[in-house]
Amino acid sequence: MLRVNNIEVCYSEVILVLKGVSLDVPDRSIVALLGANGGGKTTLLKAISGLLKTEEGEVTDGSIEFGGKRIDHIEPEQRVSMGISQVMEGRMVFEHLTVDENLEAGHYVRRRESSLNSERDMVFSYFPRLKDLCRQVSGYLSGGEQQMLVIARALMARPKLFLLDEPSMGLAPIIVEEIFDIVKRIKEEQGASVLLVEQNAVAALSIADHGYVMENGKIVLDGPASKLMDNPDVKEFYLGLSELGEKKKYSEVKHYKRRKRWLV
Amino acid sequence: MHLPCRTFNETYEQDMAIVRTRLQWILLAAAIVFGLCIPLFTGTYMLTVIITTMSIIIAALGIQILTGYCGQLSVGHSAFVAVGAYSSALLVSQSGLSFWIAVPVAGIAAGLVGLLVGLTSIRLKGFYLIISTLAAQFIIMYVIIHWTSVTGGSFGMSAPAPKLGGIEFATTQSYFYIVFIALLIATYVAKNIVRTNVGRAFIAIRDNDLAAEVMGIHLTAYKLLAFFIGCAFAGIGGALAAHARGVITPDSYTLVQSFWYLGYIIIGGLGTITGVFFGVIFVSALNNGLAMFLSSLSTIFPGAGSLLAPLMLVIFGLVIILFLTFEPRGLAHRWQIFKAYYRLWPFSY
Amino acid sequence: MSVILEHLVIGIAVGAVYSIVALGFVLIYKATGVFNLAQGSLLCLGAYICYFLSITVGLPFYVSIILTLVVAFAIGLLIEFVFLRRMIGQSHLAILMITIGLYLMLRGVVLIAWGVYSKSLPSYLSAEPINILGANVLPIFALSLVAAAILFAVFILFFRYTSIGVAMRATQDNQQVAQSVGISVKRVFGMSWAIASLTAAVGGIIVGTILSVGYSLDDFGFKVLPAVILGGLESVPGALIGGIILGVVEHFGAAYLGSWLIGIEDVIPYVILLVLLLIVPYGIFGLKRIERI
Ligand SMILES: Nc1ncnc2c1ncn2[C@@H]1O[C@H](COP(=O)(O)OP(=O)(O)OP(=O)(O)O)[C@@H](O)[C@H]1O
Ligand SMILES: [Mg+2]
């Protein structure tokens, strides 16, 4: 469904952030994208959704294909109507709008279809809690509720591809679990694909079919999620377990070792 | 900066020098000599145009310092020009003061009024500041128009030609020299303000006032200073233009005129002294070219001449927009590129 | 007593016109961050278009009003597309100067098209004063009150209940997020200018009726600034209240000071403004932004 081909991304024409990244998201699958802070995960998602432009970023090389069509030079709103929805990092609700209005804004690309109410009901079936809050101004919702709202808002466009950026950030484990369950249900029931960026590697890999690990603007490792779970490097750096099964601090790991192994 | 090949700044003095190489000295001297010779070969009409242009440059240097360097956007510049013009005219014609004293005093008067308006800049910035200078424009002009007993209201008042120990500088030629020398002095002063620590403080405030304050720049003092200097230049330019024309009326100091001043520095390039010259001369040339074109047209289409003012508005507005969109650094930047190209020619590296 | 009441009603009515124009201004500012100094030019242009359609072309007045609104809407779209589209993302001050360029251009265009002498719109209202709450005022003032009420009501409904309205508010909230849900920010910008131009035209028709249609109507855009500042630059209710306060104060000033300070009503707004700026720099309803270096 989505194919990213060896892309390079520059900010402000000088800062090279992605250096030849390739990635595939097959139909009806969840792909997890892991990696350290500043690795370029968000940048990759923005390159796919087209939001780079507002930050003076540009895809300078390579191509992005969605459903067989190149999309790297079309406007973000067109990509949304093609079926790509990005849920941005940091629970970006429209603060001054109510929950209902947020959902309506999410439905904007399909405003010509009279499906607003049915879609809203569909969304409420995933997030029943939002139904009670629908007249509230979204800026005052709790963090978990806001996260649900932004996912729900993206769902209103009935996307074929979800780009989820760190949905677990700053949330209690139980809510994270709830959200991940919903993501999985969305995949199964809507037949959508999900590209999931996460710091919480265990949770992400447990629902994902496939995983990629990104460092410094490059994909350094990829494979089926179950294999990645067992990979000693991933275990060590993302799951925080050493080969002996002990907890280990990230800072104790020698840098060159990581470098060497992953840049084979 | 762009220096010719094999010229390097090795000392602080060299780095700060306005005129750096011998060639530049020669060019400068030639320009001044050329300037001094202008009255010898131009007609009176042309000379009047040149005098007006020069006095506009002086006033525009003021808005360049205030807006281009210090970042305090003023849309009321022509009102300060008016304060200078009226003060000087009043001092000479009513109080019988000498022109030579009246003009600097007019500059100070305009500067003080500017200071007063600048007081609002202590608490405001950006859009809000624009509004306070806009308010100043309307209030000052209201006072000038309605204080009929002093200013003559909308009929205006006379601004007599200067005298120096019995010699009357009544002819356009002789007045040219006064304005020319004033322009030289004004440029020198402006250049020195912007290249010393005062100018650097202004630039710091323009680029980021909070950071500037944290760096220890006294924000209030420098902003007020910028207002004083900028408006004082406006006042002097206004006074010189007033005495050149002999009569002043409020309708030469409208809001549109203030926008015009802003336009000069946009077209010339914000934050450069040379840009002021480019901007004013460009617009003045445009205006006079258009006037000539229309007057030649009016033999075929009678009444074409009356189109001058509105057509100029359209063109000027369009030019401002085009510059902002395609060359926000103004003509001065084009000039730099041209110089660099010329210097390296035929080796374009 | 009834004299004071009369002044009050007229003041409110004049203020209603200010509110209408201020509304357009706030719309553009909120949605696009542009401080539009050419708002008055849009008003002036609207008044002239109405004059052109009703007098020059000779259409029935009500038809020409509706056509004027349509044309004004289109002009707003056009101006945004031609002059402001390229500036998206540029510094706010640069865009402000673009609007100054627009102001100059539009004034030139109006002068070329219609000359310096002012025109009058057809007299579509009777000159008989009517009675509002015991005050005798000219019908045009009643009309301006009604027009302002209708406009504000329509806008409130528009922004609550239409998807483009919600999209515009979403864009005001956060442009990037709006893009991420598929809202075309460019279209929102265009719509903002179109609507602002439309409200300006309504203002233009009313002001053109009260005064007459002349090129200097474009200064009205500056007179409205005090109202906008008073209300806080980005508040729609603020625009309404600011406009009305301004109208009332100005009218009372004209009524009680105008006899020995001729034309004082033209500067009262600015005097108020300067005083205001020194006391409440960010308006009554304005937000003070937290700034970081
Ligand atoms: N607008 C921008 N301009 C310049 N550089 C940027 C911009 N946005 C991001 N970067 C740089 O690009 C790099 C990658 O950033 P990105 O946000 O993609 O990382 P990330 O993998 O999402 O990190 P995190 O896990 O912390 O969210 C960082 O070094 C960042 O500083
Ligand atoms: Mg990120």
Side-chain angles (χ1 to χ4, degrees):
Chain A
M1 166 171 292
L2 176 79
R3 167 162 290 166
V4 177
N5 252 330
N6 210 12
I7 60 163
E8 253 181 35
V9 170
C10 270
Y11 281 115
S12 320
E13 296 182 359
V14 285
I15 310 166
L16 183 64
V17 174
L18 297 188
K19 310 150 190 168
V21 171
S22 301
L23 167 146
D24 265 316
V25 181
D27 277 347
R28 289 170 174 272
S29 66
I30 298 183
V31 173
L33 181 60
L34 312 174
N37 288 126
K41 306 179 297 292
T42 301
T43 305
L44 178 56
L45 291 197
K46 285 185 177 159
I48 297 168
S49 65
L51 294 185
L52 273 183
K53 254 186 221 158
T54 49
E55 300 186 357
E56 307 226 337
E58 208 189 346
V59 178
T60 50
D61 200 10
S63 66
I64 303 174
E65 285 167 26
F66 179 72
K69 281 193 212 115
R70 274 194 73 160
I71 55 165
D72 40 315
H73 290 296
I74 64 175
E75 297 286 321
E77 60 267 14
Q78 276 169 294
R79 303 189 203 193
V80 179
S81 32
M82 285 174 78
I84 303 179
S85 273
Q86 180 176 6
V87 176
M88 290 169 62
E89 173 175 25
R91 306 198 280 271
M92 306 296 256
V93 294
F94 295 118
E95 291 177 11
H96 298 103
L97 271 56
T98 64
V99 170
D100 253 350
E101 286 166 343
N102 265 278
L103 295 179
E104 190 173 348
H107 189 256
Y108 180 78
V109 281
R110 302 173 57 206
R111 63 191 176 283
R112 301 230 163 70
E113 305 160 28
S114 54
S115 54
L116 180 61
N117 286 325
S118 59
E119 293 299 298
R120 197 160 38 203
D121 290 340
M122 178 274 290
V123 161
F124 287 149
S125 72
Y126 289 103
F127 302 97
R129 202 177 320 168
L130 290 180
K131 192 166 189 175
D132 311 325
L133 298 169
C134 66
R135 305 224 163 271
Q136 297 249 12
V137 175
S138 63
Y140 299 125
L141 299 185
S142 79
E145 289 159 353
Q146 287 185 342
Q147 187 62 54
M148 290 178 189
L149 177 57
V150 289
I151 296 178
R153 190 178 63 195
L155 206 52
M156 290 294 288
R158 281 233 183 216
K160 302 192 190 94
L161 175 65
F162 262 106
L163 308 172
L164 278 182
D165 202 348
E166 305 206 15
S168 71
M169 191 163 76
L171 299 183
I174 190 156
I175 296 185
V176 174
E177 207 168 296
E178 192 182 333
I179 285 179
F180 276 41
D181 276 347
I182 293 171
V183 170
K184 205 166 172 193
R185 264 179 65 202
I186 290 173
K187 176 199 111 177
E188 278 154 13
E189 296 170 14
Q190 311 265 321
S193 297
V194 181
L195 178 55
L196 174 65
V197 168
E198 256 305 329
Q199 295 293 343
N200 188 341
V202 188
L205 289 175
S206 67
I207 61 165
D209 305 303
H210 202 86
Y212 288 83
V213 178
M214 202 167 179
E215 272 227 343
N216 277 328
K218 287 191 178 128
I219 302 282
V220 289
L221 197 68
D222 79 289
S226 49
K227 281 242 177 83
L228 278 186
M229 284 270 233
D230 296 334
N231 183 303
D233 289 334
V234 176
K235 265 193 188 163
E236 194 167 335
F237 307 127
Y238 293 99
L239 310 182
L241 302 166
S242 77
E243 270 154 32
L244 297 171
E246 290 168 359
K247 291 227 162 189
K248 209 169 176 185
K249 273 195 192 151
Y250 188 73
S251 57
E252 287 169 6
V253 181
K254 283 190 178 156
H255 255 267
Y256 70 90
K257 229 170 147 187
R258 299 192 288 157
R259 283 271 74 97
K260 228 165 78 185
R261 282 211 207 135
W262 278 351
L263 297 180
V264 210
Chain B
M1 288 288 263
H2 308 273
L3 283 175
C5 298
R6 291 179 54 222
T7 309
F8 304 103
N9 290 332
E10 285 160 347
T11 63
Y12 185 64
E13 283 71 34
Q14 283 178 346
D15 194 32
M16 292 301 291
I18 302 178
V19 184
R20 183 61 185 78
T21 59
R22 190 183 303 154
L23 179 66
Q24 286 174 330
W25 273 116
I26 295 171
L27 287 178
L28 181 66
I32 292 177
V33 170
F34 174 76
L36 289 172
C37 294
I38 287 176
L40 302 181
F41 54 83
T42 46
T44 313
Y45 172 73
M46 196 59 208
L47 208 55
T48 320
V49 170
I50 294 175
I51 290 173
T52 317
T53 309
M54 290 194 301
S55 54
I56 291 176
I57 293 179
I58 296 176
L61 283 171
I63 193 171
Q64 183 70 286
I65 292 173
L66 180 60
T67 302
Y69 281 93
C70 194
Q72 310 298 303
L73 192 66
S74 163
V75 290
H77 204 64
S78 76
F80 301 114
V81 175
V83 172
Y86 275 92
S87 317
S88 181
L90 277 174
L91 288 172
V92 175
S93 66
Q94 310 280 315
S95 325
L97 214 63
S98 144
F99 166 87
W100 309 99
I101 302 169
V103 172
V105 171
I108 293 173
L112 290 177
V113 175
L115 206 61
L116 207 64
V117 176
L119 283 176
T120 55
S121 76
I122 298 172
R123 297 187 56 185
L124 303 170
K125 59 196 219 184
F127 299 142
Y128 289 90
L129 182 63
I130 295 167
I131 300 169
S132 79
T133 55
L134 189 80
Q137 165 84 42
F138 284 111
I139 295 171
I140 291 172
M141 290 323 290
Y142 174 82
V143 172
I144 288 179
I145 292 171
H146 289 91
W147 200 0
T148 332
S149 56
V150 177
T151 63
S154 32
F155 294 111
M157 62 182 298
S158 71
K163 288 195 194 88
L164 179 60
I167 318 165
E168 192 169 358
F169 287 78
T171 62
T172 321
Q173 274 76 8
S174 52
Y175 196 74
F176 170 85
Y177 289 105
I178 297 177
V179 183
F180 187 72
I181 289 166
L183 176 62
L184 286 183
I185 297 172
T187 312
Y188 182 73
V189 171
K191 191 81 193 165
N192 271 303
I193 290 171
V194 299
R195 74 195 182 118
T196 49
N197 53 355
V198 178
R200 286 194 294 271
F202 286 169
I203 293 172
I205 293 173
R206 173 191 72 191
D207 290 345
N208 192 326
D209 54 350
L210 273 167
E213 190 166 26
V214 178
M215 273 161 52
I217 291 170
H218 197 306
L219 219 53
T220 310
Y222 276 103
K223 277 186 180 174
L224 289 179
L225 185 63
F227 266 97
F228 180 79
I229 296 173
C231 296
F233 271 88
I236 290 172
L240 289 171
H243 291 289
R245 221 174 308 149
V247 165
I248 46 176
T249 49
D251 51 2
S252 5
Y253 309 103
T254 56
L255 179 68
V256 171
Q257 287 300 319
S258 290
F259 287 166
W260 218 261
Y261 277 103
L262 212 51
Y264 292 137
I265 58 172
I266 292 171
I267 293 170
L270 288 167
T272 73
I273 296 292
T274 15
V276 177
F277 284 77
F278 282 122
V280 177
I281 292 172
F282 177 83
V283 175
S284 168
L286 201 64
N287 196 358
N288 287 290
L290 189 68
M292 275 194 285
F293 175 69
L294 286 178
S295 72
S296 68
L297 259 194
S298 64
T299 52
I300 314 165
F301 304 106
S306 67
L307 278 181
L308 173 64
L311 205 55
M312 195 54 205
L313 278 175
V314 175
I315 293 175
F316 188 59
L318 200 61
V319 169
I320 291 179
I321 293 177
L322 289 177
F323 265 92
L324 284 167
T325 316
F326 298 108
E327 186 49 281
R329 281 170 294 187
L331 286 171
H333 180 67
R334 285 275 134 212
W335 171 239
Q336 289 287 354
I337 292 173
F338 170 76
K339 272 200 307 191
Y341 174 80
Y342 179 75
R343 195 179 294 130
L344 297 174
W345 191 83
F347 309 109
S348 54
Y349 52 80
Chain C
M1 183 57 213
S2 77
V3 179
I4 291 183
L5 190 69
E6 216 156 87
H7 285 318
L8 189 66
V9 172
I10 294 181
I12 292 176
V14 172
V17 186
Y18 284 133
S19 314
I20 293 174
V21 184
L23 175 68
F25 185 92
V26 168
L27 263 181
I28 291 186
Y29 184 75
K30 268 185 82 160
T32 71
V34 174
F35 193 93
N36 179 20
L37 286 182
Q39 192 68 27
S41 312
L42 295 176
L43 177 144
C44 180
L45 204 57
Y48 269 110
I49 292 170
C50 185
Y51 164 80
F52 175 77
L53 291 172
S54 58
I55 303 280
T56 315
V57 180
L59 294 176
F61 192 64
Y62 296 97
V63 177
S64 47
I65 286 184
I66 291 169
L67 269 183
T68 303
L69 299 188
V70 173
V71 174
F73 190 86
I75 287 178
L77 282 178
L78 189 76
I79 287 179
E80 195 276 338
F81 182 76
V82 176
F83 298 108
L84 291 128
R85 194 52 66 89
R86 290 163 192 283
M87 298 300 286
I88 291 179
Q90 300 281 337
S91 94
H92 288 343
L93 288 184
I95 304 181
L96 177 130
M97 293 191 214
I98 294 251
T99 66
I100 290 181
L102 268 177
Y103 170 86
L104 296 173
M105 261 176 70
L106 290 178
R107 173 174 272 205
V109 167
V110 160
L111 280 170
I112 291 172
W114 288 288
V116 289
Y117 299 109
S118 37
K119 321 275 184 194
S120 42
L121 291 174
S123 47
Y124 55 100
L125 292 168
S126 77
E128 280 292 297
I130 56 169
N131 192 301
I132 305 176
L133 306 170
N136 285 324
V137 294
L138 289 174
I140 181 65
F141 292 115
L143 182 70
S144 70
L145 279 174
V146 173
I150 292 178
L151 267 185
F152 272 85
V154 167
F155 278 113
I156 288 169
L157 295 177
F158 174 76
F159 284 112
R160 276 269 140 87
Y161 296 110
T162 66
S163 54
I164 180 79
V166 172
M168 285 174 77
R169 279 167 59 219
T171 310
Q172 290 158 13
D173 229 53
N174 188 329
Q175 276 179 25
Q176 202 186 24
V177 182
Q179 270 192 350
S180 85
V181 299
I183 294 168
S184 159
V185 171
K186 289 174 187 162
R187 172 173 307 164
V188 167
F189 281 20
M191 278 298 280
S192 311
W193 275 84
I195 295 176
S197 171
L198 187 146
T199 53
V202 174
I205 295 169
I206 296 172
V207 181
T209 311
I210 298 176
L211 308 167
S212 60
V213 183
Y215 69 91
S216 57
L217 279 190
D218 56 7
D219 282 341
F220 214 82
F222 304 115
K223 277 183 95 174
V224 158
L225 289 180
V228 180
I229 293 295
L230 190 64
L233 276 177
E234 33 205 312
S235 158
V236 171
L240 178 66
I241 295 169
I244 285 177
I245 293 178
L246 181 72
V248 170
V249 172
E250 186 193 292
H251 194 73
F252 273 96
Y256 291 97
L257 300 173
S259 48
W260 62 89
L261 289 170
I262 302 147
I264 188 74
E265 65 270 18
D266 289 336
V267 281
I268 284 182
Y270 302 108
V271 177
I272 298 174
L273 186 63
L274 270 189
V275 175
L276 261 177
L277 286 177
L278 289 172
I279 305 169
V280 275
Y282 296 93
I284 302 174
F285 299 93
L287 320 160
K288 180 150 172 41
R289 289 258 158 75
I290 295 166
E291 267 190 85
R292 295 193 303 178
I293 297 170

